[in-house]
Amino acid sequence: MTTRRDFLRIAGAAGLASVAGVARGAAGGPAMTMTMDLVCGNLGVKADLPTAVTLAHKHGFTSLAPDAGELGRLSDGQLGELLGDKKAKGLAWGAAALLVDFRGDDAAFRAGMADLPAFASALQRAGATRVGTWIRPGDERLTYVANFRQHARRLREVAAVLGGHGVRLGLEYVGPKTAWSSMRHPFIHTLAETRDLIAEIGRDDVGLVLDSWHWYTAGETADDLRGLTNRDVVACDLNDAPASVPVDQQRDGVRELPCATGVIDLRAFLKALAAMGYDGPARAEPFNATLRTLPADAAVAATARSMKQAFALTG
């Protein structure tokens, strides 16, 4: 188990290793057009948007996640001040999290759909254009086909509202066998199945959220990513996996920061993204208990060092 001291030592080494790697990329490696994205909630950090802007800029991030709820509560003057500070610090928006419950019963879905126009409008007003969500990899009641039809119908409806506000929707599959095999009816848990669902939805403003963790636990390789284009990908997550745990025993809520263990081939994953010209947000989503014990600034700093080392792999 990674201790707090080990965690800080590994993250510090990642930061030192990243300096030369980033320089090599700048000197002639593949152009990294994706943004290094800060999502404070993924790290266990509680921060409002002005604080997140400050943290992102301080630690070298180039984008941050928009919070539609917070954005919607801002006056025109407050929003203008926030956007001005974000622009002055050279930051872009990443992807917001979809709040509509499309996985449960019709009442919950309809309640979420009633709130969706205001959610989408808040993002549009702030200039944010990306939203992501995840697909639960199984169901206790619905068979695969019934679940597929329900997802296609509901997510098509979600995408229509978002698209009407200039916002793209990204879908993320959940890869670990420990997740999809634990339910009576396994559901989508691979890239190919997710692309089938996107094709069935039939909208060009619906794409993928690619996560190195799910790509690894689904048993996929760089070959599975070939043929994707920048337009196919709305957002991506960078994570590593605990060492000495067989892939079929990896559990979704126990991960590591990028490059912490080297279990996941992030070089291949990121080179595939660079090759397709991906220009969206890349963010850490480690679900790491040790990281969550750190003060906010230290957690963001450790994440930034790991992300910089990951980005340097394409150099």
Side-chain angles (χ1 to χ4, degrees), residues 39-309:
V39 185
C40 288
N42 286 355
L43 315 179
V45 171
K46 295 182 179 180
D48 60 15
L49 284 173
T51 303
V53 166
T54 299
L55 286 168
H57 178 65
K58 177 181 178 180
H59 295 289
F61 290 86
T62 52
S63 64
L64 75 158
D67 181 324
E70 184 176 348
L71 289 169
R73 292 189 294 271
L74 297 179
S75 67
D76 289 344
Q78 290 170 326
L79 179 61
E81 184 176 345
L82 174 68
L83 295 180
D85 189 32
K86 182 176 74 71
K87 182 178 180 181
K89 290 179 167 63
L91 297 168
W93 285 127
L98 180 69
L99 300 182
V100 176
D101 181 4
F102 59 90
R103 309 173 192 90
D105 60 28
D106 284 336
F109 175 63
R110 286 296 151 206
M113 288 301 300
D115 294 335
L116 187 59
F119 171 93
S121 180
L123 294 177
Q124 184 179 37
R125 176 173 171 246
T129 61
R130 299 170 190 254
V131 166
T133 191
W134 54 278
I135 305 297
R136 187 167 58 200
D139 195 90
E140 295 301 325
R141 181 178 61 86
L142 295 176
T143 64
Y144 190 103
V145 172
N147 209 4
F148 188 92
R149 289 172 177 161
Q150 177 170 281
H151 272 70
R153 182 178 67 254
R154 289 179 172 181
L155 289 171
R156 188 182 299 116
E157 192 172 339
V158 168
V161 175
L162 294 176
H165 291 81
V167 178
R168 296 169 60 203
L169 173 63
L171 305 180
E172 177 182 22
Y173 58 97
V174 174
K177 183 177 182 180
T178 53
W180 55 261
S181 65
S182 67
M183 286 171 271
R184 182 180 181 187
H185 300 293
F187 191 49
I188 289 170
H189 55 273
T190 66
L191 173 59
E193 291 170 303
T194 311
R195 295 188 74 183
D196 285 344
L197 176 60
I198 292 169
E200 183 66 21
I201 293 169
R203 293 183 59 94
D204 63 6
D205 49 11
V206 179
L208 297 157
V209 174
L210 291 177
D211 186 324
S212 61
W213 166 267
H214 297 305
W215 172 76
Y216 160 71
T217 55
E220 294 163 349
T221 69
D223 286 340
D224 294 287
L225 302 177
R226 292 192 179 98
L228 293 176
T229 68
N230 179 42
R231 186 66 187 176
D232 293 322
V233 184
V234 174
C236 82
D237 298 320
L238 301 180
N239 303 291
D240 212 338
S244 304
V245 179
V247 63
D248 283 353
Q249 295 177 28
Q250 295 280 359
R251 296 196 172 273
D252 198 24
V254 184
R255 309 182 189 177
E256 299 286 349
L257 280 172
C259 299
T261 62
V263 170
I264 296 178
D265 189 356
L266 287 177
R267 183 188 302 274
F269 183 80
L270 283 164
K271 278 185 173 290
L273 286 170
M276 70 180 74
Y278 173 63
D279 63 3
R283 64 238 174 148
E285 191 185 31
F287 296 142
N288 186 277
T290 303
L291 184 69
R292 291 174 180 270
T293 68
L294 301 179
D297 193 74
V300 175
T303 303
R305 290 190 290 267
S306 292
M307 292 289 287
K308 289 171 185 176
Q309 186 184 13

